[in-house]
């Protein structure tokens, strides 16, 4: 059929599916038990949203088709992420050493705001949330402190000026 007989709206571009949080190539997809539960809850929500979109006949078929394509893309990425998940229970980590799942407090000793404390928990990439104090295990600060022991002093080269910090608290929830 000639393009002259096709409405422009019918030739809608395929949906752009937003990518999941970045995971470096070859890196395992570590998750906490809570992180896996969050991924499964997200999957249930997306499946419910897809079911509602498939049943809802109101509106334009092109818009509905676009919405379903987007949902299918998001579901495929999420299903892949869940399938690759390697659950690490923080309770099984060695006490006294910063590892995946640790909640760690660092106190600046030199090079930054001396005495400043920052506390964060090292989690999987999908669970990370700066607002909640959760940092992905692949983040530079998480990589810099992994393997450190309680009381150990480290040099962080995360900004323009190196900063010396001490691990002053460490726990696994």
């Amino acid at each position: 059929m000639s393009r002259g007989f096709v409405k422009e709206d019918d030739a809608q571009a395929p949906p752009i599916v937003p990518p999941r949080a970045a995971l470096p190539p070859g890196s395992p997809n570590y998750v906490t038990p809570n992180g896996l539960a969050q991924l499964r809850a997200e999957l249930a929500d997306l499946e419910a949203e897809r079911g509602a979109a498939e049943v809802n006949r109101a509106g334009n078929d092109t818009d509905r088709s676009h919405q379903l394509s987007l949902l299918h893309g998001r579901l495929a990425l999420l299903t892949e992420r869940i399938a690759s998940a390697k659950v690490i229970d923080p309770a099984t980590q060695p006490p006294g050493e910063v590892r995946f799942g640790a909640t760690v407090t660092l106190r600046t000793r030199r090079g930054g705001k001396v005495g400043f404390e920052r506390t964060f928990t090292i989690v999987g990439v999908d669970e990370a949330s700066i607002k909640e104090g959760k940092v992905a295990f692949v983040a530079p600060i998480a990589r810099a402190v992994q393997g450190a022991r309680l009381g150990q002093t480290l040099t962080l080269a995360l900004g323009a000026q190196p900063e010396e910090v001490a691990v002053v608290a460490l726990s696994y929830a």
Side-chain angles (χ1 to χ4, degrees), residues 6-83:
V6 178
K7 290 192 276 181
E8 286 297 319
D9 289 348
D10 290 345
Q12 190 172 31
I16 297 173
V17 179
R20 304 235 18 118
L23 194 61
S27 180
N29 179 24
Y30 294 130
V31 297
T32 64
N34 186 46
L36 184 59
Q38 289 175 355
L39 290 172
R40 288 183 173 151
E42 182 182 349
L43 179 64
D45 290 346
L46 280 176
E47 287 175 339
E49 190 177 339
R50 178 185 61 186
E54 287 173 343
V55 171
N56 184 7
R57 297 287 181 198
N60 179 324
D61 278 346
T62 304
D63 290 343
R64 189 169 145 275
S65 176
H66 188 268
Q67 180 188 12
L68 283 170
S69 294
L70 181 62
L71 285 169
H72 285 284
R74 289 177 59 202
L75 279 164
L77 290 176
L78 180 57
T79 302
E80 181 181 314
R81 190 57 67 94
I82 291 171

Side-chain angles (χ1 to χ4, degrees), residues 105-127:
T105 300
L106 305 176
R107 181 179 298 138
T108 302
R109 301 277 175 149
R110 212 177 313 162
K113 188 175 177 185
V114 175
F116 176 73
E117 288 189 359
R118 60 176 76 101
T119 301
F120 55 91
T121 303
I122 301 172
V123 297
V125 295
D126 291 296
E127 192 178 355

Side-chain angles (χ1 to χ4, degrees), residues 13 16 32 53 69 71 91 114 128-129 138 142 151 153 158 166 168 172:
I16 297 173
T32 64
S69 294
L71 285 169
V114 175
S129 167
V138 296
T153 299
L158 304 176
V168 295
Y172 289 95

